């Protein structure tokens, strides 16, 4: 079973006392992953990091560069559509065609 970590401020966070909850496949009712439960302090840390990133990076990025980056993201999603579709279907019990 896959165990995920939180990604905050450019780093994967793995606190020793991190609590997790199971991600349940709604069709089989079986857990397929463990997902971290972010306590208030980690949520605040993530919000602060996002604000800093906007002020120092994304907020100062030109429209042309933002378009280039978003197009690259679209390319990556397209390249991984099958994998992403399976993940979405497993998590939300949607058909693969709809998720993909």
């Amino acid at each position: 079973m896959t165990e995920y970590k939180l990604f905050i401020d450019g780093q994967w966070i793995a606190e020793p006392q991190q609590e997790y909850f199971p991600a349940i496949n709604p069709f089989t009712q079986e857990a397929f992953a463990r997902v971290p439960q972010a306590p208030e302090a980690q949520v605040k840390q993530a919000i602060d990091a996002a604000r800093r990133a906007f002020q120092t990076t994304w907020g100062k990025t030109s429209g042309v560069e933002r378009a280039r980056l978003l197009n690259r993201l679209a390319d990556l999603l397209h390249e991984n559509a099958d994998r992403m579709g399976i993940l979405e279907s497993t998590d939300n019990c949607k058909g693969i065609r709809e998720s993909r």
Side-chain angles (χ1 to χ4, degrees):
M1 179 180 311
T2 303
E3 184 171 286
Y4 291 93
K5 297 177 184 174
L6 296 170
F7 191 73
I8 300 173
D9 205 12
Q11 296 181 359
W12 293 104
I13 306 296
E15 298 291 336
Q17 302 300 319
Q18 188 77 52
E19 291 185 31
Y20 289 81
F21 63 92
I24 305 294
N25 179 323
F27 182 72
T28 66
Q29 298 299 306
E30 295 177 6
F32 65 91
R34 287 174 29 97
V35 181
Q37 175 69 45
E40 186 175 336
Q42 286 177 326
V43 172
K44 183 179 181 328
Q45 183 182 4
I47 291 168
D48 291 345
R51 285 186 176 138
R52 271 193 319 278
F54 183 80
Q55 292 168 354
T56 61
T57 307
W58 190 253
K60 295 180 179 180
T61 302
S62 72
V64 171
E65 182 64 7
R66 286 183 187 196
R68 187 189 71 74
L69 292 167
L70 290 171
N71 280 320
R72 178 64 181 133
L73 175 60
D75 290 343
L76 289 169
L77 287 170
H78 182 73
E79 290 170 19
N80 292 281
D82 291 336
R83 180 173 174 252
M84 298 300 289
I86 289 169
L87 288 170
E88 184 67 12
S89 292
T90 302
D91 190 45
N92 292 304
C93 205
K94 290 182 177 181
I96 294 282
R97 279 191 312 222
E98 183 182 354
S99 297
R100 195 169 177 279

